[in-house]
Amino acid sequence: MRWFCSFKAYGDLIIACNSLRKANSAQNGILAGSHLCPLLDAIDFEGTVRILEIGKNVPAFFDIKKNGFVRALHSGFLLRNEIQTSIQQSTDSLVFDSLGLRQRFLARSFHAEAIVHGAGNIYLDYASYLGLSEKYGDSFHHLNVKHTDKVYIFPDSRKKNKELPYYLIKNIAKENSKCGKETILIKVGKPVPLPQFNSLQLQWVDGFDQLMAQVRNADILVTADSLPAHLAEYIGTPVFVFTPVPNDYWMPLSSFK
């Protein structure tokens, strides 16, 4: 069994789920940290998943700068022990998106591989690694954005410099209104005062279930370079990504359409 390791960000998990559900579930599974369970529940992933009980947050092992060397190393040993007790050393292997010092430490005596970065995009690299069809990236060619009514804007990102600025949101809503399209702004978290917006509705969501429901409601998504972009890819909703930093490798394939 090949176990694709997902111990860090939410977007990484969605990319893995989106790829592995097209592959043989008897040969491939996801080894996920327990902090990712709420998101797994929200997307109803039906592939093979094994959960490692490593707490409610990304392990300190992956952020030494924030957590300090001692805490990070302790976290790494705990994570490695969880891996060793969860899968079979003799028959199972580990797959990482890259194979650096941290990943080699976690793999220890297991056979470990990296998804080769050769296709210019993480989705295409997964497809190549898993032996999926060459037409893997062509599933969105039929989408016609002219015949849609509801445009949902998800402006938030865990990185502040990637969040969509309010002037951009206002301009998008204005242009949508001219075309007879409805614009809904989705903010994540508890409601706080925001600037006044014309020509759009404002809705707040709290939790992955609510977030996923709004992604499903949309005809089109406009997002930052963030989790909702990959959720849109996961369910087949066209998505436009605005980002100040070129990031083609980690973009959803449909955003290039």
Side-chain angles (χ1 to χ4, degrees), residues 69-93:
F69 179 79
V70 174
R71 184 180 176 189
L73 186 60
H74 177 69
S75 168
F77 275 110
L78 291 177
L79 179 54
R80 190 169 73 175
N81 289 339
E82 282 290 320
I83 293 173
Q84 291 174 340
T85 58
S86 297
I87 62 176
Q88 299 296 320
Q89 180 179 334
S90 59
T91 58
D92 294 343
S93 61

Side-chain angles (χ1 to χ4, degrees), residues 99-110:
L99 202 55
L101 291 177
R102 287 187 179 91
Q103 289 79 13
R104 294 181 188 279
F105 173 84
L106 294 177
R108 198 179 182 181
S109 53
F110 285 94

Side-chain angles (χ1 to χ4, degrees), residues 3-226:
W3 293 100
F4 289 74
C5 298
S6 187
F7 306 136
K8 298 183 287 184
Y10 298 113
D12 295 350
L13 173 66
I14 299 302
I15 294 170
C17 289
N18 198 22
S19 302
L20 289 180
R21 65 181 177 173
K22 301 175 177 66
N24 187 336
S25 60
Q27 298 176 356
N28 304 287
I30 292 178
L31 201 61
S34 50
H35 64 292
L36 299 171
C37 285
L39 180 56
L40 280 167
D41 292 340
I43 64 174
D44 296 324
F45 178 65
E46 296 182 354
T48 303
V49 179
R50 190 162 293 177
I51 301 298
L52 303 186
E53 294 298 331
I54 57 175
K56 297 182 179 180
N57 301 298
V58 175
F61 185 61
F62 294 106
D63 195 345
I64 296 176
K65 184 177 180 180
K66 177 181 177 181
N67 296 286
F69 179 79
V70 174
R71 184 180 176 189
L73 186 60
H74 177 69
S75 168
F77 275 110
L78 291 177
L79 179 54
R80 190 169 73 175
N81 289 339
E82 282 290 320
I83 293 173
Q84 291 174 340
T85 58
S86 297
I87 62 176
Q88 299 296 320
Q89 180 179 334
S90 59
T91 58
D92 294 343
S93 61
L94 300 173
V95 182
F96 299 91
D97 56 8
S98 62
L99 202 55
L101 291 177
R102 287 187 179 91
Q103 289 79 13
R104 294 181 188 279
F105 173 84
L106 294 177
R108 198 179 182 181
S109 53
F110 285 94
H111 174 71
E113 297 179 347
I115 299 170
V116 179
H117 293 197
N121 180 269
I122 183 62
Y123 286 92
L124 295 179
D125 279 344
Y126 260 102
S128 176
Y129 184 87
L130 291 166
L132 300 178
S133 169
E134 293 180 358
K135 295 184 178 180
Y136 176 82
D138 294 337
S139 58
F140 294 89
H141 70 277
H142 63 282
L143 296 172
N144 189 341
V145 298
K146 294 181 179 179
H147 296 158
T148 57
D149 298 317
K150 295 185 294 183
V151 180
Y152 280 53
I153 301 178
F154 292 77
D156 297 326
S157 172
R158 63 188 177 88
K159 296 184 177 180
K160 290 294 182 181
N161 66 336
K162 289 187 176 183
E163 292 183 353
L164 301 189
Y166 287 130
Y167 77 84
L168 176 61
I169 296 170
K170 290 180 178 180
N171 287 342
I172 293 172
K174 182 179 178 180
E175 294 302 318
N176 284 341
S177 181
K178 291 179 181 178
C179 300
K181 299 183 187 299
E182 183 181 7
T183 303
I184 299 95
L185 176 63
I186 306 296
K187 291 286 291 179
V188 177
K190 303 298 183 183
V192 297
L194 293 179
Q196 292 295 318
F197 294 101
N198 297 321
S199 305
L200 62 74
Q201 301 177 33
L202 172 62
Q203 297 184 20
W204 290 86
V205 299
D206 189 14
F208 291 119
D209 286 335
Q210 293 183 20
L211 177 63
M212 193 64 183
Q214 296 295 0
V215 172
R216 293 186 186 279
N217 286 339
D219 294 321
I220 297 175
L221 262 69
V222 176
T223 77
D225 177 12
S226 58

